[in-house]
Amino acid sequence: MTAPILRKLSDLRALTAAWHRDNKTIGVVPTMGALHQGHQSLVEAAKAGADRVIVTIFVNPKQFNNPEDLANYPRTEFEDAEKLDPFQVDAIYVPDPAEIYPQGFATTVSVAGLTDVMEGEFRPGHFDGVATVVAKLFLQTQADRAYFGEKDYQQLMVVRRMARDLDIPIEVVGCPTVREASGLAMSSRNQRLSADGLRVAAEKHHIMRALVQAVQSGAAFDTLAAQADTDLRSAGFTEVEYIQLRCAETLEPLTHADRPARLFVATWVDGVRLIDNLPVSRA
Ligand code: PAF
């Protein structure tokens, strides 16, 4: 069964109102399209966790701080709908832009603190765009649960905080990163990598895993991070924006893994920015 593609909020509201009348729980998987197995794993989690599943597809201009990045972002609605077929989702919401940002739209949702670092530092305005669109998608879909990948771990934390602070009655569920056999984290941006870029990108996972192991055995992070920076550049990355160890709960920076932590890395290859992160157990 092919899921209906809805472009109007009024059509979405009619559907979700009927589901709520029937006491059905709703799961939402917010995406910007260019779906891959990472998204499909979120859809599977949503199918297991809710009675009705909506996938949203909206390339959100407000979260791109770089116009070239927005222009190059893959738009593959037809293929995306086909990829969702086997999962039998209940609706695909591809809102007309005016349903998200109507004429005169003047509100920004901004989460302080968590957004000052990493992606927030290197992509100014990015998280305001994310928090604003996700708040709208939560309110428009009236979902009970929302599914996000840990690949964008900082985004997951920001969205969770936003929903909690605004009393939006939704459970934000984090799902593990899905990786290629090479270890490369799946991302819509991988489509823009050359064969050589893909080979370089895959090296990052190995360098990150070695770093995680060393930190878990008690070594100080700073020296290890400097070595990992050198290793990433030697592997072929043209830029290493950050390599950071942070508390998994609060995202505060750590020098040792003295509590459950996360290693975060942002790099460039082939003109494509790639982020990844790994869990780090207490040393
Ligand atoms: O992770 C993404 O694809 C986007 O940031 C999201 C959550 C769909 C908001 O536009």
Side-chain angles (χ1 to χ4, degrees):
M1 180 197 73
T2 302
I5 296 183
L6 308 177
R7 299 185 193 276
K8 295 281 172 223
L9 176 57
S10 50
D11 293 338
L12 179 70
R13 282 263 157 87
L15 202 58
T16 55
W19 290 341
H20 277 144
R21 269 197 305 275
D22 292 345
N23 285 324
K24 302 294 183 201
T25 55
I26 301 175
V28 64
V29 180
T31 80
M32 296 203 299
L35 302 183
H36 49 69
Q37 283 173 45
H39 296 112
Q40 290 170 354
S41 77
L42 301 180
V43 173
E44 276 169 357
K47 291 281 294 184
D51 300 321
R52 297 286 180 268
V53 173
I54 305 169
V55 174
T56 72
I57 301 179
F58 181 67
V59 181
N60 173 31
K62 284 197 192 290
Q63 70 185 77
F64 287 82
N65 54 316
N66 176 344
E68 207 183 321
D69 197 19
L70 173 61
N72 287 336
Y73 204 86
R75 288 161 174 83
T76 53
E77 183 186 315
F78 180 74
E79 290 88 338
D80 290 342
E82 275 196 328
K83 283 183 194 159
L84 288 172
D85 259 0
F87 297 93
Q88 304 204 324
V89 301
D90 299 281
I92 306 174
Y93 182 47
V94 191
D96 289 341
E99 297 290 8
I100 302 291
Y101 301 123
Q103 192 71 28
F105 185 83
T107 299
T108 299
V109 179
S110 194
V111 178
L114 286 175
T115 61
D116 293 344
V117 297
M118 298 192 290
E119 294 307 282
E121 184 184 341
F122 283 88
R123 302 182 66 190
H126 168 67
F127 281 126
D128 284 0
V130 171
T132 304
V133 80
V134 172
K136 288 210 60 151
L137 292 170
F138 283 1
L139 295 168
Q140 291 192 347
T141 58
Q142 302 278 302
D144 302 282
R145 291 192 190 94
Y147 297 81
F148 289 84
E150 288 182 344
K151 151 86 172 42
D152 295 299
Y153 191 86
Q154 190 179 9
Q155 167 173 280
L156 169 65
M157 306 300 274
V158 168
V159 164
R160 208 172 253 161
R161 174 64 56 81
M162 177 276 292
R164 193 183 309 156
D165 286 357
L166 297 181
D167 300 320
I168 301 180
I170 194 164
E171 182 192 350
V172 176
V173 182
C175 302
T177 303
V178 179
R179 296 181 182 279
E180 305 283 355
S182 67
L184 174 63
M186 291 204 184
S187 162
S188 307
R189 291 169 197 273
N190 295 353
Q191 290 183 19
R192 288 161 49 200
L193 295 172
S194 64
D196 200 45
L198 275 169
R199 184 195 55 72
V200 171
E203 283 299 310
K204 178 154 76 174
H205 185 59
H206 305 298
I207 294 169
M208 286 178 67
R209 278 183 48 168
L211 181 47
V212 167
Q213 269 174 8
V215 180
Q216 285 177 170
S217 14
F221 180 67
D222 283 359
T223 326
L224 295 170
Q227 182 59 50
D229 186 298
T230 307
D231 293 346
L232 286 163
R233 289 174 200 274
S234 313
F237 285 99
T238 49
E239 183 59 87
V240 180
E241 279 184 351
Y242 60 76
I243 302 174
Q244 298 186 8
L245 181 71
R246 289 185 174 268
C247 170
E249 265 309 292
T250 62
L251 296 189
E252 65 191 282
L254 301 177
T255 53
H256 288 84
D258 54 6
R259 66 198 92 163
R262 210 96 196 171
L263 170 69
F264 296 90
V265 176
T267 49
W268 287 82
V269 62
D270 270 357
V272 181
R273 188 171 185 277
L274 299 174
I275 60 170
D276 199 353
N277 69 88
L278 285 176
V280 182
S281 317
R282 182 194 281 255

